[in-house]
Amino acid sequence: MPYSSTECKKEIKEWFDSRSDIIGILDVGCGSGTYPKLLGRDKYRWVGIEIWEPYVEEFGLKDLYDLLFVGNFFDTWYKANGINCVIFGDVLEHMTKEQVVEALRIMEEYPLVFEHVVISIPIDFPQEATENPHEEHKSIWTMEEINAVVPESYKIRGISWNIALFIK
């Protein structure tokens, strides 16, 4: 689905509204462009990564992001500039568990780029592929499993319905 769950969006917005040090945001898995719409298109520099190219035109992503890459996180994150925050909004479950661990390692290795990290992830929630093959949930997480791989510097900020929210 190009739309992320509405769960924990209030907590995400409140956290961003309480910050004055966010200069730019890397939105991994833009989908329909939920986060620039929620947090303010003109409030931050927005860099997006969307793996499914048809969403770029379907959702007008070029109008929502200052810089937009079509590809996956691993092949594109290092091209982002002017950011100090990343949002993985209902995205990590579309990676294998090994890829999630690698993404978390990268974020820990580059703390200036990933000074702040927002992770919203479904718990115990399978999903099949749609016409977009990337919509399949390649990893299903329990709360215990995700807690075991998310670094201790990340704080659990919310659990709502089936979504866990971590913020660093």
Side-chain angles (χ1 to χ4, degrees):
M1 303 287 155
Y3 307 97
S4 60
S5 170
T6 58
E7 300 299 318
C8 293
K9 294 298 188 283
K10 177 179 176 265
E11 292 85 349
I12 292 170
K13 177 135 177 49
E14 287 172 354
W15 184 83
F16 274 95
D17 287 347
S18 74
R19 307 298 305 196
S20 61
D21 59 340
I22 308 294
I23 55 171
I25 300 170
L26 175 61
D27 183 7
V28 180
C30 305
S32 64
T34 296
Y35 290 100
K37 294 172 189 173
L38 176 71
L39 302 175
R41 166 64 189 93
D42 297 325
K43 193 170 180 181
Y44 308 102
R45 172 173 168 71
W46 285 96
V47 178
I49 299 174
E50 176 51 55
I51 199 166
W52 185 242
E53 190 167 15
Y55 287 169
V56 173
E57 187 172 325
E58 182 177 347
F59 296 108
L61 298 181
K62 288 182 181 175
D63 295 330
L64 293 173
Y65 294 87
D66 299 297
L67 186 59
L68 182 66
F69 300 103
V70 175
N72 69 51
F73 171 76
F74 300 102
D75 295 337
T76 55
W77 72 267
Y78 59 88
K79 298 176 187 177
N81 57 28
I83 62 162
N84 65 338
C85 181
V86 63
I87 299 175
F88 281 94
D90 300 0
V91 169
L92 293 178
E93 66 277 9
H94 299 283
M95 299 178 183
T96 66
K97 290 186 178 182
E98 293 79 15
Q99 289 172 319
V100 171
V101 169
E102 177 63 9
L104 292 167
R105 185 198 63 75
I106 289 168
M107 288 184 283
E108 288 297 293
E109 190 172 321
Y110 297 93
L112 295 179
V113 176
F114 302 112
E115 180 181 358
H116 302 287
V117 179
V118 176
I119 297 172
S120 170
I121 186 165
I123 302 300
D124 295 318
F125 193 81
Q127 179 175 292
E128 303 270 328
T130 61
E131 69 178 80
N132 174 352
H134 305 287
E135 290 296 340
E136 175 187 4
H137 287 188
K138 293 181 180 176
S139 57
I140 311 300
W141 295 89
T142 65
M143 200 63 207
E144 294 77 24
E145 288 173 317
I146 197 67
N147 273 326
V149 298
V150 170
E152 287 185 20
S153 59
Y154 293 58
K155 306 278 190 254
I156 185 84
R157 298 293 177 127
I159 300 174
S160 181
W161 189 59
N162 69 327
I163 299 291
L165 175 64
F166 295 87
I167 299 179
K168 173 183 105 168

